[in-house]
Amino acid sequence: MAVLCKPAIEVPEYVITNEETLELARRLHGDHPQLALALRLIENTGVRKRHLIQPIEKVLQHPGVDARSATYEAHTKARVPAVVRRALEQAELEPQQIDLIVYVSCTGFMMPPPTSWLIDTMGFRPETRQLPIAQLGCAAGGAAINRAHDFCTAYPDANALIIACEFCSLCYQPTDLGVGSLLSNGLFGDGIAAAVVRGDGGTGVRLERNGSYIIPGTEEWISYAVRSTGFHFQLDKRVPGTMEPLAPALQALAEQHQWNAGKMDFYIIHAGGPRILDDLSHFLDVPPEAFRFSRATLTEYGNIASAVVLDALARMFDEGSALEGHRGLMAGFGPGITAEMSLGTWTSESESQS
């Protein structure tokens, strides 16, 4: 069965702390009628720092969509290959052994997609299949895992590479002054993650079942308004409460597999914000400590969109707490409101071969 191996992560070198973010908001929006609310929301995110591909002075400028697109492409080509190489090394595979590349990103656009450039420059076979996903937002990390799982189920000896590349700072819009926009300015960070799903062998999460669920009537709760100035992020104040209707979907998926969503050994959950994790802990009846990997991502990097689930998974690898046969639940949440969910069991190559 397909095994999701240890992800490789990179966050860029420019750092902004939460204190600096709050001071920036006071300076730029001192006369905003809802500044106090926005500051309180940013303080309550639990984010201590975020990483950016450019100094904050450049992030605050808006040089135009064409310039931002050029920045996205330049940083993608400069930063992604090293992360891909580490993911391949951690899976003990070479580029020519990859049969599918799933590339997810909601913060920039390229055509041809980055997958074709990677295939052309990094030693992947010309026959390598491409699956770029651009419109699932933060849920795309979970979707990438699920589509790689589907592919390796259809082609049992195949290997898939997942890449999540998110430069959220390129979506900053200085004219967006709604509270949701101000909150997102203090929540989202930049990051790249990559991981391999091996069709045979490997140490990590053996993927067993996946599913998707959309909450009816929530299409406009998380969205982009695409304007002449680029992507304008729109966030409804009802989004933090979405775990109440999504928890039953997680429970239903587990029940289909004769598992109990409240009795897992590990949880890899998209950390959109602290309330998401708090509510999910409540509705699944699991201790808050169960989401420690997701909370650590949120604290240290902010919300890095589709890369969150892979970063949280990498933290579990680093902790070394997963044991052979441990059962786990992974989920990414995003526009729709969509949940991309998967179930898996921890396995190690050494154990499976013994």
Side-chain angles (χ1 to χ4, degrees):
M1 298 181 78
V3 172
L4 176 58
C5 300
K6 182 178 182 179
I9 312 296
E10 182 203 277
V11 289
E13 60 274 26
Y14 298 103
V15 176
I16 182 167
T17 67
N18 204 40
E19 291 76 17
E20 290 169 334
T21 299
L22 292 168
E23 180 54 37
L24 203 59
R26 294 186 190 99
R27 177 163 58 85
L28 294 177
H29 308 294
D31 57 351
H32 194 289
Q34 293 180 291
L35 177 62
L37 172 61
L39 294 176
R40 186 167 70 251
L41 292 172
I42 293 171
E43 286 177 329
N44 291 337
T45 59
V47 177
R48 291 182 188 164
K49 63 178 176 66
R50 294 170 295 138
H51 292 251
L52 310 171
I53 59 171
Q54 302 177 107
I56 187 62
E57 296 75 22
K58 291 200 72 174
V59 171
L60 295 176
Q61 300 169 5
H62 195 328
V65 175
D66 50 351
R68 280 190 168 176
S69 294
T71 299
Y72 177 88
E73 180 171 349
H75 282 271
T76 297
K77 291 181 175 179
R79 297 176 185 271
V80 167
V83 185
V84 167
R85 280 190 287 269
R86 278 193 284 123
L88 290 169
E89 289 168 4
Q90 289 167 182
E92 299 182 329
L93 292 179
E94 299 294 331
Q96 58 268 27
Q97 294 174 278
I98 296 297
D99 302 284
L100 167 73
I101 301 176
V102 185
Y103 177 95
V104 297
S105 179
C106 62
T107 52
F109 182 81
M110 291 170 58
M111 194 172 75
T115 47
S116 64
W117 177 81
L118 290 166
I119 291 168
D120 204 34
T121 58
M122 288 195 66
F124 296 98
R125 304 190 327 275
E127 298 85 1
T128 306
R129 294 165 173 87
Q130 305 173 69
L131 181 57
I133 301 174
Q135 293 157 300
L136 280 176
C138 296
I145 293 170
N146 292 348
R147 300 296 75 79
H149 178 203
D150 293 343
F151 182 81
C152 291
T153 300
Y155 303 95
D157 296 325
N159 302 306
L161 170 67
I162 296 166
I163 304 166
C165 178
E166 300 289 14
F167 302 144
C168 300
S169 62
L170 291 179
C171 297
Y172 171 72
Q173 296 289 350
T175 60
D176 290 355
L177 300 179
V179 171
S181 295
L182 296 181
L183 171 61
S184 69
N185 294 341
L187 178 64
F188 287 93
D190 299 346
I192 300 168
V196 171
V197 175
R198 285 186 56 144
D200 181 53
T203 293
V205 180
R206 186 176 68 238
L207 301 170
E208 298 184 30
R209 182 181 290 269
N210 70 61
S212 181
Y213 183 81
I214 290 180
I215 305 174
T218 60
E219 180 184 351
E220 296 179 356
W221 288 19
I222 301 175
S223 63
Y224 272 163
V226 183
R227 301 173 184 155
S228 59
T229 46
F231 300 145
H232 290 250
F233 184 66
Q234 300 176 133
L235 182 68
D236 191 282
K237 64 182 179 182
R238 291 170 288 185
V239 169
T242 50
M243 289 306 101
E244 184 170 6
L246 282 183
L250 295 169
Q251 292 164 334
L253 181 72
E255 288 168 4
Q256 291 170 19
H257 208 54
Q258 287 77 55
W259 289 5
N260 184 336
K263 302 294 183 184
M264 297 294 183
D265 299 298
F266 62 87
Y267 295 84
I268 305 298
I269 304 295
H270 174 73
R275 185 178 165 189
I276 296 292
L277 300 175
D278 293 342
D279 281 6
L280 201 55
S281 173
H282 170 71
F283 291 117
L284 293 183
D285 192 24
V286 299
E289 176 70 7
F291 301 129
R292 62 190 178 279
F293 308 116
S294 302
R295 289 186 191 278
T297 299
L298 185 64
T299 298
E300 296 181 27
Y301 297 157
N303 184 339
I304 49 174
S306 64
V308 167
V309 289
L310 294 175
D311 182 75
L313 178 61
R315 292 173 188 274
M316 187 177 79
F317 271 87
D318 290 339
E319 185 182 85
S321 56
L323 301 176
E324 189 74 18
H326 272 190
R327 296 174 173 180
L329 169 67
M330 296 183 286
F333 310 121
I337 299 289
T338 299
E340 285 284 343
M341 311 163 288
S342 59
L343 304 173
T345 301
W346 183 266
T347 185
S348 63
E349 200 164 27
S350 59
E351 290 287 337
S352 59
Q353 291 175 347
S354 61

